[in-house]
Structures are given as structure tokens and as C-alpha cells.
Amino acid sequence: MDKKEQIILAAMRLLTERGVQATPMSAIAKAANTGMGTIYNYFATKEELINAIYLYIKRSEIHLVAKALESDSSLKSRFFSFYTAFISFYFKYPESFAFMDQFHSSPIITQSTRDAGQADFMPVISLIQQGQQDGIIKNMDLDALLHFLAGTITTYVRWVKGSGKDNDQALVDQQLRLVWDAIKE
């Protein structure tokens, strides 16, 4: 792991535990076991660092999810694979989930960062668009559909974590049925 990634991971943990105002750059430097100058070599401001964390998580998510989309199976099966991969990602990386849950809608995340994050998600977007063109998925505003799907993933993960339940396959299957029934034509 390089210094930049050390800083990103330390900042992610501290920001989700303490919040933006209670996390000075000096605390991030200490947690990353680096100096302030090193942090400022990579990130001019805390806001720039938060945006870098957002993209780091988005790119980590899509790296895992893209593998789930690489198959010749049906659109429904690929949808189930990508949706399950997102859920698995957030259970495997709870700090990433906590960060995205806290910062996804934050005004700290710039439009250019959001656009870059969305550009990385073209495989998922293409899957949804293909489903719409084929008459399998409801033909509605793409952004509305993507926000709906993101909301169902976040709510599901938050519910399972908060209820003390295990993320077992029966619950995932129920979630998949609910979401598929909501978006299918």
C-alpha cells in the first residue's frame, strides 16, 4: 500500500467515526503514520481528500462489480450478480459503506467527482440501458432508476447491520426479488 492509499484509508476511518468538523488534517496524518507535508503533497484541502475517498470507493466497487457483469448469462442473472456484488462489497468493507452512507449526498462531493464516479459505472449503466431497450426493465429516467437501486442497497445493508442479522442468502434472495419486481417491465 502506498502513502496516498494509507492517507485515504486513514481519513475514511476517521471521517466516518468523527465527522468532518472533528477530523483535522493533523489527526489524519497521525492515523496514516505520515507527516502533514506528505498529505498536502497529495491533497490540497480536506474537501479534496474527501472527494478522493469517494472516487477510491467508487473505483473499488466497480472493480468488484464489473467481474459480476462479465458473463453471457441472461440480463436478469447479470443484474442479480451485480446487485449481490454491491451488497457483498459493503459487508466486506464496512468503512466504505459508512463513508458512502454519510457522504454520498454531501455537498462536499463536487459535481466533477460525481461525474467521474458515474463514468466508472458505465458497465452497470449499460446493463440497465440494455434492459430498458429490450423491454425487460421499466423505461423510466435512468438517474431515477439508479438512485432507486442505490437506495435499496444502502437501506438493505443498513437494515441487516442494524438488526444484528447475518447477511444470509435467504435475505439477499428476498431483496433481489423485491428489487427485480420493482424495476422489471
Side-chain angles (χ1 to χ4, degrees), residues 25-43:
M25 292 292 261
S26 59
I28 294 169
K30 184 176 179 180
N33 197 27
T34 192
M36 290 291 291
T38 303
I39 287 183
Y40 286 115
N41 282 336
Y42 292 109
F43 310 103

Side-chain angles (χ1 to χ4, degrees), residues 3 26 101 112 120 136 164 167-168 172:
K3 279 288 185 197
S26 59
D101 194 30
S112 63
D120 290 336
I136 298 169
N167 182 39
D168 66 31
V172 173

Side-chain angles (χ1 to χ4, degrees), residues 161-175:
K161 286 176 169 279
S163 68
K165 296 180 184 291
D166 289 330
N167 182 39
D168 66 31
Q169 193 58 47
L171 289 177
V172 173
D173 290 344
Q174 288 175 12
Q175 181 72 7

